[in-house]
């Protein structure tokens, strides 16, 4: 009986000590105030969202009538592997989270959306927890969408992902959450980079999938942990893929309040030392130093600095959301410029081929000589001399060896033959879109006009392009 009494007392003491430890933990880690997130991202404002449907309708019309005909005629998608869909034109800005495993990417998304301790939150942990590409979108209720369904839905911007195979679609998941921020932006969480795992072990082309999301992201957060600053082959490959997108990159040194001030300064320097060989630009990307999770900053740290850094990042995010249409129009115009350059180059290859062909010539040998050494026939120099093309916009010469390897030159027509009595000339239409229509649409936004007022009566959505061969 006495032994039983002692056992009960011992168990009671364990329970009481457990409760006290739990209370101590909760006291040590109070939750952080979120008012600055609501204010900076304007989540508390009840004003109705601007109606951009007319602008997007006009943009879609310009793309289909002035850009896509030339793009399809000269098979531009087989050179760049970048097909623009209607879903991509009308999609919300995309924010992409990249970085090594367990650096806090999923935790950061949970924090920004306030999903902690809710059934919506992304799973987090010290071990590699995210094995899928997770797309967080807005929806009327919590809903999980399989990757196969997302790729089959043409109204979404993810249908081109089907080309990466069924193994990848099993690793793609969409989550619809009824959150006000997701009404204006889409978040994409990615699997962490694990340097000791070969790419082929993932079962799908990880780097190619990352490139697809990078090409479409409006803002790219590359997140680092102070304890994981080593740069391996997979991270080095990732930064190669980010080349040319430096304006969209934001580097985040997360979990900063875990370090003392002196150690944080050393880690900050070590981060730049590790990334310097990978980011070969005059101005490095903006680096934010803070701790993006719901617990309050640890005592005796520079919490005021961390809070200012967090607000700066939120302002950066809000700026991308506010500039959604401007970025979309600029993206379509940049795409149109690349399509035009590609068409001019293919036309030049074809014209040179026709000039060098004689009655006794072997067509395959003649064109092989042109493709192997285009500088010998002044292919690229002629484009620079006779057209308004910058030498910095010219694609890689080697890319056209592969392009013409699967697309015989006989499959193409000269640009001068790409004209019709009713539709006009493909080249003229894309040049009009680049120099007049898209800048005009962009200018109408810059002047502060009501986007909803841009209807087809005022913008001429239904106008047919003028034809120089037709008398008006």
């Amino acid at each position: 009986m006495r032994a039983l009494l002692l056992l009960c007392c011992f168990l009671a003491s364990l329970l009481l000590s457990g409760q006290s430890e739990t209370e101590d933990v909760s006291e040590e880690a109070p939750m952080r105030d979120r008012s600055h997130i609501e204010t900076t991202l304007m989540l508390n404002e009840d004003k109705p969202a601007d109606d951009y449907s007319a602008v997007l309708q006009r943009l879609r019309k310009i793309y289909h009538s002035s850009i896509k005909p030339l793009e399809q005629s000269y098979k531009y998608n087989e050179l760049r592997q970048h097909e623009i869909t209607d879903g991509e034109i009308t999609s919300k800005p995309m924010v992409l989270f990249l970085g090594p495993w367990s650096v806090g990417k999923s935790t950061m998304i949970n924090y920004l959306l306030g999903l902690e301790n809710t059934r919506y939150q992304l799973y987090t942990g010290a071990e590699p927890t995210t094995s899928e590409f997770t797309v967080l979108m807005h929806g009327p209720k919590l809903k999980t969408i399989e990757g196969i369904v997302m790729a089959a839905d043409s109204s979404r911007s993810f249908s081109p992902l089907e080309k990466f195979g069924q193994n990848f679609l099993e690793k793609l998941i969409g989550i619809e959450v009824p959150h006000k921020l997701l009404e204006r932006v889409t978040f994409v969480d990615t699997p962490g980079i694990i340097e000791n795992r070969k790419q082929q072990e993932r079962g799908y082309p990880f780097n190619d999938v990352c490139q697809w999301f990078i090409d479409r992201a409006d803002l790219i957060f590359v997140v680092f942990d102070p304890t994981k600053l080593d740069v391996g082959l997979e991270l080095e490959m990732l930064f190669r893929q980010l080349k040319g997108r430096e304006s969209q990159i934001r580097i985040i040194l997360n979990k900063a309040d875990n370090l003392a001030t002196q150690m944080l300064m050393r880690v900050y320097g070590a981060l730049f030392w590790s990334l310097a060989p990978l980011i070969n630009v005059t101005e490095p990307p903006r680096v934010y130093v803070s701790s993006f999770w719901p617990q309050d900053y640890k005592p005796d740290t520079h919490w005021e600095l961390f809070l200012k850094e967090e607000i700066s990042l939120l302002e950066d995010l809000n700026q991308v959301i506010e500039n959604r249409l401007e970025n979309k129009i600029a993206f379509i115009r940049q795409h149109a410029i690349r399509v035009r350059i590609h068409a001019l180059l293919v036309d030049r290859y074809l014209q040179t081929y026709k000039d060098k062909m004689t009655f006794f010539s072997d067509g395959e040998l003649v064109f092989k000589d042109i493709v192997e050494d285009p500088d010998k026939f002044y292919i690229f120099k002629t484009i620079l001399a006779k057209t308004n093309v910058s030498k910095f916009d010219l694609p890689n010469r080697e890319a056209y060896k592969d392009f013409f390897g699967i697309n015989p030159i006989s499959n193409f027509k000269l640009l001068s033959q790409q004209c019709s009595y009713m539709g006009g000339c493909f080249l003229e239409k894309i040049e009009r879109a680049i120099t007049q229509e898209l800048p005009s649409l962009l200018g109408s936004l810059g002047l502060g006009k009501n986007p909803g007022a841009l209807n087809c009566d005022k913008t001429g959505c239904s106008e047919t392009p003028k034809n120089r061969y037709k008398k008006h």
Side-chain angles (χ1 to χ4, degrees):
M1 188 71 179
R2 184 179 178 184
L4 182 61
L5 182 62
L6 290 173
L7 179 61
C8 291
C9 291
F10 177 70
L11 292 174
S13 64
L14 284 178
L15 289 173
L16 288 174
S17 63
Q19 288 180 354
S20 62
E21 287 178 4
T22 305
E23 290 173 0
D24 291 339
V25 170
S26 62
E27 289 177 1
E28 290 175 3
M31 302 301 284
R32 192 184 306 177
D33 180 32
R34 293 180 47 85
S35 59
H36 62 287
I37 298 179
E38 316 259 330
T39 303
T40 307
L41 297 178
M42 298 181 289
L43 300 180
N44 291 327
E45 297 184 8
D46 295 328
K47 67 175 184 177
D50 293 327
D51 181 17
Y52 294 125
S53 58
V55 179
L56 294 174
Q57 177 192 0
R58 174 64 176 152
L59 183 60
R60 191 165 55 243
K61 180 73 176 179
I62 293 173
Y63 172 71
H64 282 286
S65 63
S66 301
I67 302 172
K68 195 168 185 177
L70 196 65
E71 180 181 335
Q72 291 179 329
S73 179
Y74 287 93
K75 300 182 179 181
Y76 175 75
N77 294 332
E78 297 186 18
L79 177 74
R80 294 272 303 183
Q81 296 293 317
H82 192 164
E83 182 180 358
I84 295 180
T85 62
D86 286 348
E88 187 172 350
I89 294 176
T90 59
S91 64
K92 300 167 187 172
M94 181 189 294
V95 179
L96 181 64
F97 291 79
L98 299 169
W101 62 275
S102 192
V103 294
K105 299 187 296 295
S106 302
T107 302
M108 183 176 176
I109 294 175
N110 285 335
Y111 171 60
L112 292 176
L113 297 176
L115 303 181
E116 307 87 4
N117 301 320
T118 69
R119 58 197 182 110
Y120 307 137
Q121 70 173 347
L122 300 178
Y123 179 67
T124 60
E127 74 282 3
T129 55
T130 304
S131 60
E132 300 94 4
F133 283 80
T134 306
V135 182
L136 286 96
M137 306 166 285
H138 181 265
K141 61 180 181 180
L142 178 64
K143 181 180 178 182
T144 301
I145 306 172
E146 297 296 330
I148 298 174
V149 178
M150 293 175 64
D153 188 354
S154 59
S155 63
R156 302 181 188 271
S157 58
F158 304 104
S159 54
L161 287 171
E162 202 164 14
K163 67 184 179 182
F164 296 117
Q166 297 301 309
N167 286 340
F168 165 70
L169 294 181
E170 292 178 1
K171 294 293 185 180
L172 175 67
I173 186 171
I175 302 177
E176 290 187 347
V177 182
H179 193 281
K180 195 163 185 179
L181 178 58
L182 294 179
E183 292 179 1
R184 302 188 293 157
V185 70
T186 298
F187 286 157
V188 179
D189 191 16
T190 61
I193 294 171
I194 303 177
E195 296 296 349
N196 60 355
R197 178 178 297 173
K198 295 181 181 180
Q199 179 179 344
Q200 56 266 30
E201 291 180 2
R202 294 182 185 269
Y204 61 90
F206 176 74
N207 289 331
D208 293 340
V209 174
C210 285
Q211 188 67 62
W212 189 91
F213 281 102
I214 288 169
D215 289 340
R216 289 156 179 81
D218 296 86
L219 195 59
I220 302 170
F221 289 145
V222 184
V223 188
F224 287 94
D225 184 312
T227 63
K228 297 183 179 69
L229 298 182
D230 56 316
V231 177
L233 293 177
E234 196 161 285
L235 190 61
E236 185 177 344
M237 175 63 71
L238 177 65
F239 273 90
R240 284 182 193 165
Q241 294 177 289
L242 291 170
K243 189 173 180 61
R245 305 298 302 272
E246 286 80 10
S247 60
Q248 279 97 9
I249 299 173
R250 304 293 184 271
I251 294 175
I252 298 173
L253 184 57
N254 200 13
K255 307 179 184 180
D257 62 346
N258 287 334
L259 301 177
T261 304
Q262 186 178 13
M263 186 60 67
L264 181 61
M265 292 176 63
R266 291 176 179 174
V267 168
Y268 190 84
L271 177 64
F272 269 99
W273 179 265
S274 300
L275 298 182
L278 308 180
I279 306 175
N280 190 18
V281 292
T282 306
E283 295 184 5
R286 176 76 163 87
V287 178
Y288 295 99
V289 182
S290 188
S291 293
F292 294 91
W293 66 337
Q295 282 76 25
D296 205 353
Y297 298 109
K298 293 186 177 179
D300 301 326
T301 58
H302 293 280
W303 64 270
E304 293 181 345
L305 170 65
F306 299 152
L307 181 59
K308 289 180 180 178
E309 288 282 278
E310 184 177 323
I311 293 175
S312 296
L313 180 140
L314 295 173
E315 290 173 347
D316 220 347
L317 173 59
N318 191 62
Q319 192 67 32
V320 169
I321 296 173
E322 293 295 319
N323 294 338
R324 168 195 173 188
L325 281 182
E326 288 85 346
N327 293 337
K328 192 75 70 177
I329 295 171
F331 166 72
I332 296 297
R333 186 174 183 273
Q334 183 184 50
H335 178 77
I337 291 173
R338 288 173 176 166
V339 171
R340 173 180 175 268
I341 293 173
H342 170 68
L344 290 170
L345 281 170
V346 174
D347 178 75
R348 191 65 221 163
Y349 272 103
L350 180 57
Q351 187 64 61
T352 304
Y353 171 71
K354 289 180 176 292
D355 292 343
K356 298 299 177 182
M357 278 294 293
T358 64
F359 183 77
F360 300 101
S361 299
D362 185 333
E364 288 189 11
L365 292 178
V366 170
F367 191 66
K368 182 180 179 181
D369 189 27
I370 297 173
V371 172
E372 289 294 331
D373 190 5
D375 290 337
K376 175 182 175 182
F377 300 93
Y378 303 100
I379 300 289
F380 287 80
K381 290 182 179 180
T382 303
I383 296 297
L384 293 174
K386 294 187 177 181
T387 61
N388 185 24
V389 173
S390 169
K391 67 178 181 179
F392 302 106
D393 291 333
L394 289 176
N396 187 358
R397 291 161 170 77
E398 297 298 319
Y400 281 92
K401 292 183 182 179
D402 298 331
F403 176 78
F404 286 118
I406 59 176
N407 296 289
I409 192 65
S410 57
N411 290 355
F412 300 100
K413 295 181 181 179
L414 293 170
L415 279 171
S416 58
Q417 299 173 342
Q418 300 276 16
C419 297
S420 66
Y421 181 78
M422 296 296 295
C425 298
F426 287 176
L427 183 61
E428 285 186 352
K429 291 199 301 187
I430 198 171
E431 289 179 343
R432 189 185 305 116
I434 293 170
T435 59
Q436 298 177 25
E437 295 174 347
L438 291 173
S440 176
L441 189 60
L442 188 61
S444 66
L445 298 175
L447 293 174
K449 295 181 180 179
N450 180 14
L454 285 170
N455 54 42
C456 288
D457 294 333
K458 296 184 179 180
T459 59
C461 296
S462 59
E463 288 182 8
T464 55
K466 293 182 179 179
N467 189 338
R468 63 178 177 176
Y469 300 108
K470 182 179 179 181
K471 293 182 178 179
H472 295 281

